[in-house]
Amino acid sequence: MSAISPAAVVVLAAGGGTRMKSNSLPKVLHEVCGRSLVGHAVAAAEELTPQQLVVVIGHLREKVQEHLAAHHPAARAVVQEEQKGTGHAVRTALEALAADGVELDGTVIVTTGDAPLLTGETLGSLAAAHTEQGNGVTVLTAVVPDPFGYGRILRDEADGAVAAIVEEKDASDAQRTIAEINSGVFAFDAKLLAEALSRVTTDNVQGEEYLTDTLEILRTAGHRVGAVVAADYRDILGINDRVQLAQARRLLNDRLLERAMRAGVTVVDPATTWIDVQVTFEPDAVVLPGTQLQGRTHLGEGCEVGPNSTLKDTRIGAGARVSNTTADSAEVGDFASAGPYAYLRPGARLARKAKVGTYVEVKNSELGEGAKVPHLSYIGDATIGEGSNIGAASVTVNYDGVHKHRTVIGAHCRTGSDNMFIAPVTVGDGAYTAAGSVIAVDVPPGALGVARAQQRNIPGWVERKRPGTASAAAAAAATEEAAEA
């Protein structure tokens, strides 16, 4: 990769993407592996640390601009009011910079906002080759298995320079056999680019300014037009419809999983495992089949996640176990466990060796070290101290219809099954609560909280109120048997 940062990177992201068949979402905001298409383009450009990073936007510009501001604030959005071609888009970007007194000197990279597999490494190789070869413009190309529909690269046999780019419809039968294609990504000398753009015309069927016209302009002026072949042809694949979107997602997912596995993560079944670009991990983590790792999820050393788990923006500690669990913005501490069939909502934090078991939902709550909620419970807006055990079918009743309230259960408590904790309420350290209790008053440390009605038995009720039923017959038989005994 070039050691010298380019003067600018211009990302072209103004198109409508009609083949995506989307009325409300611009093409460049469709996501692949946890990042928008334009986000991938900007992230790759940022690896070059350009002096200026410009994204040309147009279709549904407000949404794209808002997205860039939220996720890539260093990128400058420039509006192309009318989509008059790629050359016009680049000229719009340069004019916006010039209006702010920015005079570009050096290399300008022009890339597209719909090629999520294009890497910073590939862009860096393009920039480096452009400088080393002293080209006026350098084209990123690729040798593809099926070049149909792409512009073919015609090279000068003498020095290998690019002689022309011929489009599919204009190519001869011999030219259509050429497998090297134009990616639409270029490196220019900044001053030569500005000069060439000023000479581009709209004398074509579409009536647009084509960026590719600058190649012939520069070549005619005596400047060399070079080319760099992408090491992996898939780097340059653009997205035009949802089929290609899914194909790119599969390709990028495979790359991300390979990176994880080579870094020491065991992925048992890559075909059913999905991972986002910002997921991080430590050695010896194990990912079981059917698992999705989204957002900024982190896997600690030696942890095991899955099968069939979806983790988003969740941190899994070293040695932790998470099975058949959905987690969003949660934290599972070292050697803690969740699942099977647990739901960890935002703010759920499990300390070291804590346990959230089967059919347990936790939201905005902390479980102390070694605390356990093993079965069929809802823990919301609560703090549970270390070593405490919450009985099955317990609920922290946190919402009064207007406000949320907090339940505090101290350290080393034992609460009975089918408890309702009516927040705000506190159970002191070492306290117990009886099964079936509705705890609405604080329980002092070491006390037993009992809050349930006195049981009352009404003899003979079934035989009187449900005569002729199987229950009545069984009761009568039992009564007769007891009498005979």
Side-chain angles (χ1 to χ4, degrees), residues 40 44 111-112 114-123 125 140-144 150 181 183 185 229-239 248 251-252 255:
H40 283 288
T111 185
T112 63
D114 63 353
L117 300 171
L118 187 59
T119 65
E121 182 178 2
T122 296
L123 288 178
S125 297
L140 178 65
T141 71
V143 177
V144 298
Y150 290 99
I181 63 156
S183 70
V185 178
V229 182
D232 186 341
Y233 77 89
R234 296 172 297 185
D235 279 5
I236 62 93
L237 296 178
I239 306 301
L251 289 168
L252 183 53
R255 285 185 182 180

Side-chain angles (χ1 to χ4, degrees), residues 46 66-73:
E46 288 174 335
E66 181 181 344
H67 176 80
L68 291 171
H71 298 281
H72 301 280

Side-chain angles (χ1 to χ4, degrees), residues 140-167:
L140 178 65
T141 71
V143 177
V144 298
D146 180 9
F148 178 80
Y150 290 99
R152 308 305 205 281
I153 301 295
L154 306 185
R155 289 188 180 256
D156 189 314
E157 293 183 2
D159 64 357
V162 175
I165 298 176
V166 59
E167 298 301 326

Side-chain angles (χ1 to χ4, degrees), residues 351-365:
R352 179 184 174 86
K353 293 187 177 181
K355 176 181 179 179
V356 167
T358 306
Y359 299 114
V360 174
E361 179 179 345
V362 180
K363 186 270 294 184
N364 191 31
S365 298

